[in-house]
Amino acid sequence: MRLSRRGFLALGGQVAALSMGALLTRSASSAPLSQPLSPEEETLDYKIGQMLMMGFRGSVLTPDNPVVADIRDRHIGGVVLFDSQGAGSSNITSAAQLKRLTADLQAIAPTPLLISVDQEGGSVARLKPQYGFAQTVSQQYLGNLNDASTTYRYADETAGTLRSTGINMNLAPVVDLNTNPSNPVIGVYGRSFSADPLTVTTHSEQVINAHREHGIFCTLKHFPGHGSSRADSHLGFTDVTATWSPVELEPYMDIIRAGLCDVVMTAHIFNANLDPDLPATLSRKTITGLLRDDFGFDGVVMTDDMQMRAITDNYSFETALRLAILAGVDIITIGNNMLYGPGTTALAISTIKQLVANDLIPIERIDQSYQRIKLLKSWIP
């Protein structure tokens, strides 16, 4: 079934256009603290670097670690931490180690880094009991319990742990609907609160509010809805055209309308209801047309890991970068986890610069993303 964007709006009511200021209304515990760069520092190289969120290897920041040059010289805007990237390459081994690592990362950054982690709870938690962190519960457990105060309490504990270890961005909550409990990447891992959009919205807002009290950004994922999939986009092409429903958009509409959306993460799913040609991450119709124009979201949009096979099996690195940026994405995430490449940052920057030089990406598109990222970072406490 093909529906126009007007049709989607009719499902949830007209979503008022929200300014960035409204979207980034923070709790009293947060205030803009980062200092602006001088105009001569805001080069094209710098702006492109800020659009990259990179994974790296190692739990201790040594001078020869490639991420040092990526941060200091290539000005990447963020890093994503993992607890297993092959033998001896984990970023997380203990609370004390993690606190030192994040402090060392920030110390070499020209402007504050976004330091992110997947700490959804349950089976998707990088800060695990085996490293000395508290046991967490899944979103499905909390959704089944359906007690907002309990969800807030668990989220408050998580956010406090993230703040104490120097992490300022949680790649959570998952707002996918649990419409397919056998979904190999969402349902079977208990990552969704519920199949009911109101339940998902209610508990997601509790998670967001708790994180904001600690100055931690949240990330709604995976837009425009991964819950109905029968395949795993980590492993290859994932088509939800026949299983997806417009109701999967409701948590995004409601959370954006409430002014509680910091960042949205895209899904690498293909959904011909929204775009008959491209997966969501690469789709201007989905990112700019639906999320930005129709839902009124002018905040930061980031990709899921661009090394997932739904992308790498079907698009060249250059094509994927070009289409994602043209689609309206602001932060390109490269986990360096599934495929490790210490030179990937330099390659990404040179590739994007060449695309700009060849007029395949307007420089205004880079400026637009940079300003969104800069505004988001102004709230890092």
Side-chain angles (χ1 to χ4, degrees):
M1 176 178 63
R2 291 287 306 281
L3 294 177
S4 67
R5 294 200 301 270
R6 181 178 299 175
F8 287 117
L9 285 175
L11 292 167
Q14 181 98 27
V15 178
L18 298 173
S19 69
M20 253 315 250
L23 291 170
L24 291 175
T25 299
R26 310 297 297 176
S27 69
S29 63
S30 300
L33 295 177
S34 58
Q35 298 299 313
L37 291 173
S38 61
E40 59 270 19
E41 291 177 293
E42 294 183 313
T43 62
L44 178 61
D45 287 70
Y46 185 88
K47 292 175 182 178
I48 293 172
Q50 288 293 293
M51 294 175 66
L52 298 178
M53 177 169 284
M54 305 297 299
F56 64 98
R57 295 194 165 187
S59 59
V60 177
L61 197 63
T62 57
D64 61 342
N65 192 314
V67 79
V68 172
D70 286 346
I71 295 170
R72 184 190 59 213
D73 304 327
R74 300 184 184 95
H75 314 302
I76 61 171
V79 295
V80 54
L81 305 179
F82 293 94
D83 68 319
S84 60
Q85 294 182 300
S89 62
S90 172
N91 303 134
I92 301 164
T93 60
S94 72
Q97 167 272 322
L98 182 56
K99 184 175 182 179
R100 174 63 183 271
L101 176 63
T102 58
D104 288 347
L105 289 166
Q106 292 288 15
I108 62 172
T111 54
L113 282 171
L114 293 171
I115 301 181
S116 68
V117 71
D118 289 287
Q119 192 67 11
E120 300 169 13
S123 62
V124 181
R126 310 302 185 196
L127 280 56
K128 294 180 171 67
Q130 67 197 66
Y131 310 128
F133 296 100
Q135 180 67 55
T136 60
V137 298
S138 70
Q139 290 194 179
Q140 182 173 305
Y141 171 87
L142 292 170
N144 289 341
L145 195 62
N146 204 17
D147 179 75
S149 63
T150 300
T151 296
Y152 184 93
R153 176 170 60 82
Y154 274 105
D156 181 66
E157 292 172 358
T158 293
T161 298
L162 297 181
R163 178 66 182 270
S164 71
T165 54
I167 294 169
N168 54 33
M169 186 176 188
N170 194 353
L171 303 178
V174 173
V175 297
D176 297 318
L177 304 190
N178 193 29
T179 53
N180 175 19
S182 299
N183 183 319
V185 70
I186 304 296
V188 298
Y189 289 108
R191 298 175 68 190
S192 171
F193 286 115
S194 174
D196 173 54
L198 180 58
T199 301
V200 170
T201 298
T202 298
H203 291 276
S204 295
E205 289 181 346
Q206 293 298 315
V207 171
I208 294 164
N209 285 327
H211 280 70
R212 285 188 168 191
E213 285 298 317
H214 291 273
I216 309 294
F217 299 120
C218 280
T219 308
L220 305 187
K221 61 186 188 184
H222 307 81
F223 187 82
H226 208 315
S228 69
S229 73
R230 296 170 180 163
D232 182 349
S233 52
H234 291 83
L235 304 178
F237 181 75
T238 302
D239 188 345
V240 301
T241 303
T243 58
W244 181 87
S245 168
V247 72
E248 297 180 52
L249 296 171
E250 289 185 13
Y252 293 97
M253 289 192 290
D254 292 341
I255 294 168
I256 290 170
R257 184 161 37 197
L260 292 174
C261 187
D262 299 324
V263 180
V264 172
M265 178 186 287
T266 66
H268 299 328
I269 56 166
F270 177 80
N271 186 342
N273 300 294
L274 304 178
D275 189 326
D277 302 311
L278 294 168
T281 295
L282 310 182
S283 167
R284 182 171 175 82
K285 292 179 180 178
T286 304
I287 306 304
T288 294
L290 182 60
L291 180 60
R292 295 207 186 281
D293 294 345
D294 288 350
F295 291 4
F297 182 66
D298 194 35
V300 168
V301 175
M302 68 182 293
T303 71
D304 207 341
D305 189 352
M306 294 293 280
Q307 292 178 325
M308 290 163 60
R309 289 180 58 185
I311 298 297
T312 60
D313 283 359
N314 298 286
Y315 302 92
S316 70
F317 189 58
E318 177 182 321
T319 298
L321 291 176
R322 175 175 60 84
L323 291 175
I325 293 170
L326 290 177
V329 162
D330 304 304
I331 294 177
I332 304 291
T333 307
I334 301 175
N336 265 331
N337 187 23
M338 301 177 71
L339 299 169
Y340 179 64
T344 305
T345 300
L347 177 62
I349 292 172
S350 64
T351 300
I352 296 170
K353 280 186 68 178
Q354 192 61 50
L355 288 166
V356 173
N358 293 340
D359 294 325
L360 296 173
I361 295 178
I363 195 167
E364 293 81 10
R365 181 72 273 287
I366 303 297
D367 289 336
Q368 187 180 48
S369 287
Y370 173 65
Q371 292 302 324
R372 290 184 184 123
I373 295 164
K374 185 177 177 180
L375 180 55
L376 181 73
K377 285 189 168 189
S378 74
W379 291 99
I380 295 177

